[in-house]
Amino acid sequence: RNQITGSIPPELGNLTMLNDLYLYTNQITGPIPLELGNLLNLRILDLFDNQISGSIPDSLGNITNLEYLGLYQNQITGSMPKTLGRLQSIQDLQIFDNKLSGTLPQEFGDLISLVRLGLSRNSLSGPLPANICSGDRFQYLDVSFNMFNGPIPSSLKTCTSLVRIDIQSNKLTGDISQHFGVYPQLTKMRLASNRLSGHISPNIGACTQLTVLNLAQNMITGSIPPILSKLSNLIELRLDSNHLSGEIPAEICTLANLYRLNLSSNQLSGAIPTQIEKLNKLGYLDISRNRLSGLIPEELGACMKLQSLKINNNNFNGSLPGAIGNIAGLQIMLDVSNNKLSGVLPQQLGRLQILEFLNLSHNQFSGSIPSSFASMVSLSTLDVSYNDLEGLVPTARLLQNASASWFLPNKGLCGNLSGLRPCYATTVAAHKKGKILGLLLPIVLVMGFIIVAAIVVTIILTRKKRNPQETVTAEARDLFSVWNFNGRLAFDDIVRATEDFDDKYIIGTGGYGKVYKAQLQDGQLVAVKKLHQTEEELDDERRFRSEMEILTQIRQRSIVRMYGFCSHPVYKFLVYDYIKQGSLHRILENQELAKELDWNKRIALATDVAQAISYLHHECSPPIIHRDITSNNILLDTSFKGFVSDFGTARILKPDSSNSSALAGTYGYIAPEKCDVYSFGVVVLELVMGKHPRDLLDGSLSNGEQSMMVKDILDQRPTTPISTEENSLALLIKLALSCLESSPQARPTMREAYQTLIQPSSSSTTVPFSALTLQQGMHV
Ligand SMILES: *[C@@H]1O[C@H](CO)[C@@H](O)[C@H](O)[C@H]1NC(C)=O
Ligand SMILES: *[C@@H]1O[C@H](CO)[C@@H](O)[C@H](O)[C@H]1NC(C)=O
């Protein structure tokens, strides 16, 4: 470790008593003098990290006492001398990072003392000696980055002393399931970039010390064996660029130390296991270029250590979960391109403040690019091309140099970027189109003004309790602030946010009309329910208003808050809080979400819904009957808290009026509030069974097949209920069955139903839950 220059003097070969010769890390040039072969007492010859050139002299093979030969990191050329096969004492032979060529003589199979062999990064070719693991001490084999071809050396199969094997980037052939055995000490196995075939042998599960397993870029077939989960020390698993098929086994998600997982470029199918969330040390995940499908699980957002996430070029559908925005350390890339993803882009992506590369292209994303994208200050590439996006491209600082090809084609993105149309292009274009449009446009605008000016809007200032209602006419106000709540210009805002109720903002439809999602200018999301205009409703304007005024005053923690309404000859709509996750019905239809909606959450949900309906029936004056309690009208937020929604068909029950109605024909005239009780019973059974209890209602209950086991109707997707949950479930089922009594008089009131749930009677059943029948459920 000096700055010695020049070449090694041949005279050193006269020091025949020399044991150790260290010349490493200098600037020595020239060849290795063949005279060094005279140093017959030499045990250590260390010449690494110089600029030694020329070839390895045959004479070195004479030093039969040599234990260590370090020639690595030099400029040595020529081929490996056969004579080195005579080094009977050699334990450590390191000649990597040179320019050796030619073959590795079979004589290397005679090195019976060899523990480590390092020949990587040369240009060696031909087959590896079959007997390379001839002694029983062989631990490290590194011949990576050469041009070796032919089969895997047969001696490796039983070489149980192996600690590391690296043969990557050669042209070796053979069936990996045949040529490798069980290696109890093996920590790193790198076989990548060869021509290996066959399937991954279950033997691999016995190599429990493995931290690195890299089989990438071969021709490996078959599926990923779940037994890989036995490799609990694994940090890096690369199986990319092979011909693997089948599903990603959920078992590998138990590899708690995994940091790099690359399964890219195979033929894997099926979904991403939701257990992926357990891989909480994962820094790199690449499952791109497969045939994976299904929804991208929300759980992926729990892999908080991810720096790079690639799921592109698959068949994933559904929306991109907002939870991805939680991966604060995501820096290198997020690539979801070339899938079948749809829906709006989640606002939460904007939280990825250190992300540099984001590719969302070649999907079916719609809506606008969330304004939050402007806060992704590190982004240097944002590709959203080939989607159905529209609206303004957010102006992030680093996107000033963006290429228009990142945004085109799309449905209609506009912005201040060369190649994109400016955002007010329609007006500009209209002017350019010449006189006719130039004349028409003002006329259209004037007519629009007249129509809007004719609007009379009722304002409910929900925050201002002192002044709950205030009627104003549009004429009295600025044209675009006709309806103002919470200090916002809501009317204009809503019409603009939904592009005058364009179909693409529809998130639901029903008999009453359509529901639109609108993002107000300050970012708040609201659900806007636009009601059909029927003759009758117009006649009954006064009643509609008084009902709505009462509904806007409802404040209950499990009822979707209604902010206000608008009623005029052109528009009649209600504005509600927007609840994220969607309806209970939708969640129960989704395997992953249904699983996440565990028994505890379901029990809490039933209790919340009971409380909400009880509030409507018993604490509102006059009482409010919902009339349409179904799993479609119970919305859940991201923590699965439930909210009763949809008062589209609700009517205020005037105690003095005979406001009874027929319910769905089948059950005859019944007390109107008892129809909500019945519907509640259906929803509770739906929660318990995970699906609409249609069959049960049609069959078992009326046919006396009540001996059906409770455990047999339970939704199998959540984990098995624990004993406290079993008690609550038995209670829920009992309550649901009483709500479904065919005689309305026999049904409890919602207040009683709610009380039952929060104050369960101590006299619980003696029948174990696993043996409980529906009949017993009815009478416990
Ligand atoms: C995964 O493997 C593919 C193909 O072999 C490669 O192109 C890609 O860079 C790898 N990804 C990571 C994150 O290492
Ligand atoms: C984004 O992904 C698409 C499809 O996978 C690819 O063609 C495109 O080159 C990527 N964009 C950038 C900027 O790398």
Side-chain angles (χ1 to χ4, degrees):
R1 292 161 144 267
N2 286 293
Q3 278 124 48
I4 300 172
T5 55
S7 53
I8 302 172
E11 293 80 359
L12 280 183
N14 298 333
L15 305 176
T16 53
M17 305 293 284
L18 199 63
N19 289 146
D20 304 348
L21 175 56
Y22 295 100
L23 293 172
Y24 65 85
T25 310
N26 278 293
Q27 287 143 37
I28 297 171
T29 51
I32 302 169
L34 54 88
E35 288 79 358
L36 292 192
N38 299 333
L39 301 176
L40 297 183
N41 284 307
L42 211 55
R43 291 182 305 124
I44 292 174
L45 176 56
D46 205 346
L47 307 180
F48 88 88
D49 191 17
N50 280 291
Q51 286 124 51
I52 295 170
S53 55
S55 56
I56 302 171
D58 288 349
S59 61
L60 291 192
N62 300 333
I63 316 175
T64 49
N65 288 322
L66 200 62
E67 293 169 12
Y68 173 77
L69 177 59
L71 302 180
Y72 57 99
Q73 294 171 2
N74 278 293
Q75 317 280 330
I76 299 171
T77 53
S79 55
M80 290 289 272
K82 269 190 205 158
T83 53
L84 294 190
R86 291 192 229 135
L87 299 174
Q88 292 296 302
S89 307
I90 195 91
Q91 296 174 20
D92 200 348
L93 183 56
Q94 302 295 346
I95 321 186
F96 60 89
D97 275 330
N98 277 290
K99 296 173 172 169
L100 294 168
S101 56
T103 61
L104 188 60
Q106 286 300 315
E107 284 77 0
F108 271 71
D110 303 336
L111 302 174
I112 52 162
S113 304
L114 202 59
V115 177
R116 302 160 191 257
L117 176 62
L119 299 176
S120 70
R121 295 174 206 278
N122 280 286
S123 303
L124 295 164
S125 56
L128 290 167
N131 214 14
I132 200 153
C133 176
S134 53
D136 51 8
R137 305 165 62 188
F138 196 53
Q139 295 185 350
Y140 296 87
L141 172 65
D142 187 352
V143 297
S144 60
F145 299 97
N146 278 287
M147 298 180 310
F148 288 114
N149 55 31
I152 302 293
S154 55
S155 60
L156 284 185
K157 180 150 187 172
T158 51
C159 194
T160 51
S161 50
L162 271 182
V163 172
R164 266 188 220 180
I165 175 168
D166 191 343
I167 59 169
Q168 66 180 313
S169 286
N170 282 286
K171 297 169 180 168
L172 296 165
T173 53
D175 180 333
I176 52 162
S177 66
Q178 303 294 311
H179 294 97
F180 293 95
V182 168
Y183 311 102
Q185 337 271 0
L186 194 64
T187 60
K188 299 187 180 173
M189 184 180 218
R190 294 194 162 106
L191 313 182
S193 292
N194 277 289
R195 295 170 181 172
L196 302 173
S197 57
H199 60 267
I200 304 170
S201 154
N203 275 348
I204 199 81
C207 306
T208 54
Q209 300 303 308
L210 274 178
T211 59
V212 174
L213 177 60
N214 186 348
L215 307 179
Q217 298 177 32
N218 278 292
M219 304 179 310
I220 299 170
T221 50
S223 56
I224 302 175
I227 200 163
L228 287 180
S229 64
K230 295 272 186 278
L231 309 181
S232 58
N233 295 304
L234 217 51
I235 294 169
E236 178 176 328
L237 176 59
R238 291 197 54 178
L239 305 176
D240 45 280
S241 294
N242 277 291
H243 306 307
L244 293 166
S245 54
E247 301 199 356
I248 300 175
E251 287 84 349
I252 67 171
C253 299
T254 61
L255 296 172
N257 292 305
L258 208 57
Y259 176 70
R260 190 182 280 268
L261 176 59
N262 196 342
L263 305 176
S264 156
S265 303
N266 279 289
Q267 289 138 38
L268 299 170
S269 54
I272 301 179
T274 52
Q275 293 91 323
I276 191 98
E277 65 186 339
K278 290 193 246 158
L279 294 177
N280 55 16
K281 288 197 182 150
L282 209 55
Y284 291 80
L285 176 62
D286 189 347
I287 51 173
S288 62
R289 298 179 193 280
N290 277 290
R291 296 170 187 169
L292 298 165
S293 57
L295 299 176
I296 298 171
E298 192 90 16
E299 286 81 354
L300 202 47
C303 301
M304 299 293 283
K305 294 278 165 62
L306 278 178
Q307 296 168 40
S308 172
L309 174 56
K310 296 190 68 184
I311 59 175
N312 52 292
N313 294 75
N314 279 293
N315 294 319
F316 292 116
N317 58 27
S319 56
L320 187 62
I324 303 283
N326 298 341
I327 312 175
L330 203 59
Q331 175 169 12
I332 300 169
M333 71 163 73
L334 172 59
D335 193 343
V336 305
S337 65
N338 232 329
N339 278 292
K340 293 180 176 133
L341 299 171
S342 57
V344 294
L345 292 168
Q347 189 83 21
Q348 294 97 307
L349 284 189
R351 292 201 224 133
L352 301 173
Q353 303 228 329
I354 63 172
L355 187 65
E356 293 169 15
F357 178 100
L358 176 57
N359 197 341
L360 303 166
S361 73
H362 296 267
N363 280 294
Q364 291 143 29
F365 290 120
S366 55
S368 55
I369 301 178
S371 54
S372 64
F373 274 38
S375 50
M376 287 196 268
V377 290
S378 308
L379 218 53
S380 61
T381 305
L382 168 64
D383 191 342
V384 298
S385 60
Y386 295 91
N387 278 293
D388 297 324
L389 296 166
E390 58 199 307
L392 179 70
V393 169
T395 49
R397 186 172 50 88
L398 285 155
L399 286 178
Q400 295 309 316
N401 305 326
S403 146
S405 69
W406 295 348
F407 302 99
L408 298 172
N410 259 298
K411 190 166 182 185
L413 284 176
C414 61
N416 187 14
L417 178 71
S418 89
L420 279 194
R421 67 179 170 86
C423 282
Y424 296 102
T426 42
T427 320
V428 174
H431 283 304
K432 280 184 188 159
K433 286 215 170 130
K435 290 180 186 167
I436 298 175
L437 273 180
L439 284 171
L440 278 178
L441 196 63
I443 296 172
V444 170
L445 287 177
V446 167
M447 286 178 68
F449 179 86
I450 293 168
I451 292 169
V452 178
I455 293 168
V456 176
V457 177
T458 300
I459 297 179
I460 305 289
L461 290 164
T462 53
R463 295 264 165 89
K464 286 192 190 168
K465 279 279 180 167
R466 284 167 288 119
N467 186 16
Q469 49 177 308
E470 175 190 349
T471 307
V472 291
T473 56
E475 296 95 305
R477 292 226 174 177
D478 171 21
L479 183 62
F480 293 114
S481 61
V482 283
W483 186 39
N484 184 326
F485 74 82
N486 291 349
R488 288 190 298 270
L489 310 181
F491 175 84
D492 176 52
D493 212 349
I494 285 165
V495 174
R496 195 188 318 218
T498 57
E499 295 182 50
D500 203 356
F501 297 97
D502 190 293
D503 281 357
K504 64 176 175 269
Y505 294 101
I506 293 180
I507 52 174
T509 18
Y512 49 80
K514 297 180 169 117
V515 188
Y516 299 78
K517 177 177 171 180
Q519 182 164 28
L520 302 185
Q521 269 168 347
D522 66 351
Q524 189 185 346
L525 284 170
V526 291
V528 181
K529 179 166 296 164
K530 187 164 178 278
L531 303 178
H532 291 314
Q533 298 278 354
T534 66
E535 292 298 315
E536 183 220 331
E537 269 167 344
L538 285 176
D539 290 347
D540 213 352
E541 181 66 25
R542 209 175 55 86
R543 189 177 133 222
F544 173 79
R545 285 192 195 187
S546 68
E547 286 178 7
M548 290 305 135
E549 283 163 14
I550 291 165
L551 293 178
T552 51
Q553 286 162 37
I554 291 176
R555 291 289 179 280
Q556 204 276 338
R557 53 185 281 276
S558 301
I559 294 179
V560 178
R561 178 158 169 197
M562 181 170 159
Y563 286 112
F565 66 93
C566 168
S567 175
H568 68 74
V570 183
Y571 298 107
K572 188 175 269 199
F573 59 74
L574 320 177
V575 184
Y576 292 95
D577 214 350
Y578 177 75
I579 308 291
K580 266 284 163 45
Q581 182 97 262
S583 71
L584 173 62
H585 180 76
R586 186 188 145 253
I587 283 160
L588 289 178
E589 276 191 336
N590 177 304
Q591 296 307 317
E592 305 311 330
L593 292 174
K595 192 167 196 173
E596 213 180 320
L597 184 60
D598 58 26
W599 291 119
N600 225 340
K601 295 195 182 97
R602 292 184 195 212
I603 292 158
L605 183 61
T607 312
D608 283 350
V609 172
Q611 187 184 23
I613 307 174
S614 171
Y615 169 89
L616 292 175
H617 288 187
H618 301 286
E619 282 170 74
C620 290
S621 178
I624 295 169
I625 309 303
H626 188 288
R627 284 171 198 269
D628 198 18
I629 299 280
T630 70
S631 58
N632 281 314
N633 290 334
I634 293 168
L635 305 182
L636 276 71
D637 68 12
T638 43
S639 63
F640 292 94
K641 173 167 175 12
F643 296 85
V644 174
S645 86
D646 200 343
F647 298 95
T649 55
R651 293 287 182 275
I652 312 298
L653 176 68
K654 308 230 164 49
D656 52 347
S657 72
S658 59
N659 207 357
S660 306
S661 67
L663 179 76
T666 2
Y667 299 101
Y669 281 91
I670 52 176
E673 69 275 11
K674 288 293 173 80
C675 73
D676 279 355
V677 176
Y678 183 91
S679 309
F680 173 74
V682 175
V683 167
V684 169
L685 274 191
E686 199 170 345
L687 263 176
V688 168
M689 297 168 65
K691 58 173 191 202
H692 195 281
R694 204 165 282 112
D695 299 343
L696 203 62
L697 296 179
D698 291 344
S700 319
L701 289 180
S702 47
N703 295 343
E705 292 167 22
Q706 294 164 357
S707 55
M708 191 178 255
M709 303 292 284
V710 163
K711 70 174 170 49
D712 290 335
I713 64 161
L714 280 197
D715 190 351
Q716 295 303 307
R717 293 168 298 182
T719 44
T720 324
I722 57 169
S723 68
T724 53
E725 290 170 340
E726 285 182 353
N727 290 341
S728 304
L729 278 174
L731 187 69
L732 263 189
I733 294 168
K734 180 195 174 192
L735 175 64
L737 295 175
S738 68
C739 293
L740 296 171
E741 285 284 356
S742 47
S743 155
Q745 288 75 22
R747 296 175 200 161
T749 65
M750 276 316 296
R751 177 176 277 154
E752 288 163 349
Y754 174 57
Q755 294 296 336
T756 314
L757 290 176
I758 55 167
Q759 301 164 343
S761 66
S762 50
S763 67
S764 72
T765 171
T766 48
V767 185
F769 188 77
S770 60
L772 196 65
T773 64
L774 279 185
Q775 174 153 41
Q776 287 160 332
M778 289 175 97
H779 302 293
V780 280

